[in-house]
Structures are given as structure tokens and as C-alpha cells.
Amino acid sequence: TFFMWVFVKWRPSLEFSLFSLKSMFKFGYKLLIAGFIDLFQKNIINIVIAKVFSIQDLGYLNRAEAIQKAPTQTFSKIINRVIFPMFSNIDGDIDKKVNDLKKTIRYTVLLIFPLIWFLFFFSKPLILFLLGDGWLISSKYLSLLALSAFLFPLESIYQSFLKSEGDSGSILFVDTVKLISMVPIVGIGIKYGIEYFIYGLIIKSIITHLLYIYITTKKVMLGFLSQIRLLVLPFFSSYL
């Protein structure tokens, strides 16, 4: 900090710009609401499972979820730190932005899909190695949660892309749809069990991804099917 003050000539001024505040608030408040919606979803799920089932079931699910999220969320955070500045620095060159978006999706799925399949197929030995026999029930939850995590890093890519376009409204819209979709998902889980609840999460992740694809087609010249094709071959090749 000391050397920045010495070598950097820029100094903050005491001027206040109401115009800048309005523009930033219009963009930022929607992201803030979207963050609250995401936090509410996570907390309400834990409360419902603990109320309807048991603390033990919640513990098994949370352990499986923690293992599933360790690679996917870490990877998503890294993506956000890298690609948001990259997209933001591309000003006016739509072709370059589209190409960079396609490359980012390709590289991401090549890295993350094999890892997700690993969690799916080796959930049991992984749980035994990390947690021991007492947590073996978590393995079946981990396998299903892995399927719901295939598209999560891609969601971060689309969010970063939309942020770079200044479109926080679309992110809020998708998060609102996700919140509404949790109502039938929780209802199914209450009636049929935790496994069916996770099936609902898998369907929700697919719907979320399709929404982001549709929104992106309205922003740039990248067709709906073209974006689907970016996923199909890596999905099946990583399985094999």
C-alpha cells in the first residue's frame, strides 16, 4: 500500500457522482437479490430435510454435497476470476467474444466432465476412503449429486458473460426461476424421499442451463443447438 501511494500518481477525489451511483446500483442490486435468493435456497433445503427426515439424513446429504462441491465450486471460482475480466475487456468485438465463450466452454467441459464421472462411478470407495464405513449411505447421494453438478461450472461461465454485458437482470430472472422450481422439487422430496429430491435438482440444473443458452442466443450470434453441441461429445467421450 505504501509503494502504491509513492509510485501511483492517481489519487481519490472527494467528488460524488450521482450518475455513477445510479448506474452501478441499477446493475448491482439485481445481483444482490440473486445472491440472497441463492442463499435462501440453500438454507431452506437444509431446514426442510432436517424437519421432514432426520438430522442423520441431513448429515449424509451434506457430506456428499461437500465432496461434490469441493472440485466444482473451486473450479467455478477460478473461472469467474479469469473469464469475467477477459469478457469485460472485449469491447465491441462480438466475434471475438463469441469465440472466447466457445473456447471457455470447450476447455471447461474437457476438464470438469471426467472429474464428475469419477465422482459418479467411484463414490463408494471415495466415501470409504475419506469418511469411513459410518458414512457409506452418503455414497448413493454423492453419485446422484455428481449428475446435478455437470452443468454448474458452465452456469458460472454464462453468468460472467452476462455480467460483462451489463445484463444482471437475466441472472436475477434465472435465479428466480430456480427458486420457483424448488417448490415442486421439495414437495417431491417430502413425498418420495431424498433420492427423488436429488433427481429434481438434476432436472433443475438442466433447465437452468437451457435458460442461459436461450438468453445467450439473444445476446450474440451463437445458436441454441451450437451451444448444445459443445457439450454432447465431451459428455459421452469422458464417460467412455
Side-chain angles (χ1 to χ4, degrees):
T1 304
F2 171 76
F3 287 106
M4 286 184 63
W5 278 100
V6 172
F7 293 105
V8 177
K9 301 303 180 183
W10 177 86
R11 294 291 182 269
S13 67
L14 297 177
E15 296 178 0
F16 181 80
S17 174
L18 187 60
F19 175 78
S20 298
L21 178 63
K22 286 181 178 179
S23 61
M24 288 187 291
F25 179 78
K26 186 177 180 181
F27 174 79
Y29 87 91
K30 295 174 184 176
L31 295 178
L32 181 63
I33 295 173
F36 280 130
I37 289 174
D38 185 57
L39 186 63
F40 175 77
Q41 286 186 75
K42 293 175 182 176
N43 290 331
I44 200 67
I45 289 170
N46 290 338
I47 293 171
V48 169
I49 291 175
K51 279 283 186 182
V52 175
F53 299 100
S54 67
I55 296 297
Q56 286 79 12
D57 289 325
L58 179 61
Y60 290 133
L61 182 63
N62 281 349
R63 283 295 186 180
E65 191 176 28
I67 295 173
Q68 172 255 307
K69 284 184 175 179
T72 54
Q73 285 196 344
T74 302
F75 196 80
S76 297
K77 288 178 181 177
I78 295 171
I79 289 173
N80 273 325
R81 290 175 183 173
V82 174
I83 65 172
F84 177 61
M86 179 185 75
F87 286 142
S88 298
N89 288 331
I90 303 172
D91 187 19
D93 193 342
I94 300 299
D95 291 335
K96 178 171 174 52
K97 184 169 280 191
V98 170
N99 288 331
D100 285 351
L101 177 62
K102 290 165 67 175
K103 287 179 183 178
T104 305
I105 293 173
R106 285 197 191 101
Y107 294 148
T108 299
V109 297
L110 286 173
L111 290 172
I112 203 67
F113 280 8
L115 180 59
I116 298 298
W117 280 124
F118 175 82
L119 292 177
F120 176 78
F121 285 112
F122 296 99
S123 60
K124 186 174 180 178
L126 194 60
I127 290 292
L128 288 173
F129 175 74
L130 294 175
L131 304 176
D133 295 346
W135 294 91
L136 194 56
I137 295 176
S138 295
S139 63
K140 64 179 180 179
Y141 297 153
L142 177 58
S143 293
L144 295 175
L145 285 170
L147 296 179
S148 72
F150 266 105
L151 301 173
F152 182 75
L154 299 177
E155 184 178 334
S156 296
I157 293 174
Y158 283 110
Q159 286 179 349
S160 294
F161 175 79
L162 292 172
K163 288 177 187 176
S164 72
E165 292 285 305
D167 187 7
S168 57
S170 293
I171 298 174
L172 177 58
F173 168 74
V174 174
D175 276 0
T176 303
V177 173
K178 287 164 63 178
L179 178 62
I180 295 171
S181 69
M182 284 304 299
V183 176
I185 291 172
V186 169
I188 290 170
I190 291 172
K191 187 172 183 179
Y192 297 105
I194 293 179
E195 290 183 42
Y196 284 90
F197 168 75
I198 302 176
Y199 290 140
L201 294 181
I202 296 170
I203 295 172
K204 187 188 77 165
S205 71
I206 295 172
I207 293 172
T208 299
H209 189 70
L210 293 178
L211 281 173
Y212 275 123
I213 289 178
Y214 175 76
I215 292 168
T216 305
T217 61
K218 301 297 181 181
K219 294 287 181 183
V220 294
M221 296 298 291
L222 184 58
F224 191 92
L225 291 179
S226 298
Q227 295 182 64
I228 296 293
R229 291 191 198 102
L230 294 172
L231 311 180
V232 174
L233 182 59
F235 180 83
F236 289 106
S237 61
S238 59
Y239 172 83
L240 299 174

